[in-house]
Amino acid sequence: MAVSRSADVCVIGGGVIGRATALALVARGVRVDLVSRDLPGAASRAAAGLLAPSIEGGSGPSHEFAVAARDAYPAFLESLRERASTHVEHSRSGILDVALDDESEVRLREVAARSGIPYLLPNEVRSLEPALAATRGGVLVELDGYVDNVALMDALEHATRTAGPKLREVEGLVSRIELGRDSATLISSLGDRRSASAVVVAAGAWSNTLAGLPRPLPVRPLKGEMLRYDPGASSQALNRPVYGAGVYAVPRAVDRILVGATSDEAGFDVAITPEAASRLSGGAKALLPQLREREPDDHWCGLRPMSSDSLPVLGQDPEFPALLYATGHSRNGILKAPITGDCIAALFVGEEPPFDLSPFSLQRHEATLAPPQIR
């Protein structure tokens, strides 16, 4: 069968990581084939859109990367607005983590002391978020926030589909990758072959299912279920994301509240469950009294691409330079998409990436990975 070679790079994956990477490559003059297919449970639209490096914790390069990703968002969204002529809701009004019992109060006071931020008294929490139930206080992490990930995906899809002749979208499922030292060929489920100088694996939770990878990737699906509420026009608004009672609640501009999220090892199962709904609704009603007489108006799940240490897998394969990884972002794919795309694109064209990717290289897992397959 004939091999198509019209691109410099093939990007596998049409989620937030793949599309951000494709746009960053095109911005550097690279010809890109973006190969994607809608799959049940794809995480980019199923997420809550939290931009929360401080809440997620961590330290060292991983935390610095997450903070840099958060701080890159305003410029990224402005660039996207110019491409897609659409507004994407984005807030940096902080994230509030509140205590509802003795145990959570002790934990948050320790967090405040360790981080050097004030511990808010109950009346101070109430002044920030009058809609909350009575609390034992909490901490406000300034500059963290959220983005409307559904609107973001709409904008990214429009931008990639109208990016011009250097970016071509190809719908299909990649069944196999054939690697050379300076080239890669993708074989679709229909037998079509597509060759390029490099391939970027940005297939999220499905990254490790691609046949032909030189070694297994330490990436697996982690199921997360979420609820959405309409609290009613007469209810008090939520001004920022709030963590508490084992859940988080995130406002949306259309007077909705998202509540998440569970974390279950369920493989690629995307069935929603009454057990998850009960857990989430119980936490939501403990946190927000206005929801106690309401039922959620939507319930869904997504499959996070979890790595074994919750950090992304980024950069070139150690044996095959034509293979680049942009996967394993775990709970932070939305947060890290813009900076990931910029780093991978820079790496391909020979620029110094805007952030050191060595802490996220596949080599950090070498003790647990099978040896490469010789081709």
Side-chain angles (χ1 to χ4, degrees):
M1 185 171 291
V3 177
S4 169
R5 185 170 186 141
S6 60
D8 302 311
V9 179
C10 286
V11 176
I12 305 174
V16 65
I17 300 294
R19 291 184 186 276
T21 301
L23 288 173
L25 285 162
V26 169
R28 289 168 169 82
V30 178
R31 296 173 302 157
V32 177
D33 278 356
L34 177 63
V35 185
S36 68
R37 183 173 179 179
D38 290 336
L39 293 167
S44 295
R45 288 183 177 273
L50 289 168
L51 307 178
S54 303
I55 292 289
E56 288 289 338
S59 60
S62 64
H63 182 67
E64 293 166 8
F65 187 74
V67 170
R70 178 199 67 190
D71 294 344
Y73 247 91
F76 174 71
L77 290 179
E78 177 59 26
S79 172
L80 192 57
R81 187 191 65 78
E82 293 174 359
R83 286 178 175 269
S85 301
T86 187
H87 171 73
V88 176
E89 180 187 357
H90 174 227
S91 170
R92 300 194 74 180
S93 58
I95 294 179
L96 187 62
D97 198 344
V98 300
L100 300 184
D101 54 30
D102 290 344
E103 182 181 355
S104 55
E105 181 180 356
V106 169
R107 177 183 64 82
L108 287 176
R109 285 188 179 275
E110 291 174 351
V111 168
R114 186 169 60 248
S115 304
I117 58 179
Y119 185 82
L120 303 176
L121 299 176
N123 64 310
E124 294 174 304
V125 170
R126 171 72 64 180
S127 68
L128 288 172
E129 293 293 346
L132 293 180
T135 73
R136 306 284 292 273
V139 295
L140 176 66
V141 181
E142 297 181 344
L143 300 182
D144 282 7
Y146 68 92
V147 65
D148 183 337
N149 55 292
V150 175
L152 174 64
M153 280 300 297
D154 287 344
L156 282 169
E157 288 179 1
H158 180 80
T160 51
R161 289 169 181 166
T162 59
K166 286 189 177 296
L167 200 161
R168 180 173 61 173
E169 286 214 37
V170 182
E171 184 177 352
L173 189 65
V174 175
S175 62
R176 185 174 182 81
I177 303 173
E178 293 182 353
L179 294 168
R181 293 292 172 180
D182 57 359
S183 66
T185 300
L186 308 187
I187 304 171
S188 79
S189 56
L190 299 177
D192 298 326
R193 300 172 67 89
R194 187 172 305 277
S195 183
S197 299
V199 60
V200 178
V201 174
W206 290 266
S207 295
N208 199 34
T209 68
L210 295 168
L213 294 176
R215 55 186 57 74
L217 292 176
V219 177
R220 71 190 192 282
L222 184 69
K223 183 179 180 180
E225 297 186 47
M226 293 191 64
L227 304 177
R228 185 182 68 199
Y229 284 88
D230 176 359
S234 61
S235 300
Q236 290 178 306
L238 196 62
N239 300 310
R240 56 182 57 77
V242 178
Y243 280 67
V247 300
Y248 55 76
V250 184
R252 280 290 185 264
V254 290
D255 298 324
R256 298 292 188 272
I257 294 175
L258 308 185
V259 176
T262 59
S263 293
D264 297 303
E265 299 282 358
F268 289 97
D269 175 23
V270 293
I272 57 175
T273 64
E275 294 81 8
S278 177
R279 273 187 281 166
L280 293 171
S281 64
K285 291 172 182 181
L287 192 62
L288 293 162
Q290 61 189 306
L291 302 183
R292 289 174 184 169
E293 303 302 320
R294 294 190 171 271
E295 295 300 320
D297 61 9
D298 202 0
H299 179 191
W300 67 92
C301 80
L303 301 176
R304 310 175 185 95
M306 291 296 296
S307 72
S308 55
D309 59 6
S310 297
L311 300 180
V313 179
L314 305 177
Q316 289 177 306
D317 183 87
E319 300 291 330
F320 295 90
L323 176 61
L324 295 101
Y325 300 109
T327 189
H329 289 78
S330 301
R331 294 176 175 85
N332 289 299
I334 300 295
L335 168 66
K336 295 175 180 176
I339 196 169
T340 292
D342 205 26
C343 286
I344 296 299
L347 195 62
F348 175 75
V349 300
E351 297 175 2
E352 186 74 20
F355 204 94
D356 178 18
L357 298 184
S358 60
F360 313 111
S361 70
L362 190 61
Q363 286 95 314
R364 74 184 191 273
H365 298 285
E366 60 186 5
T368 61
L369 296 175
Q373 302 169 21
I374 304 302
R375 299 183 184 281

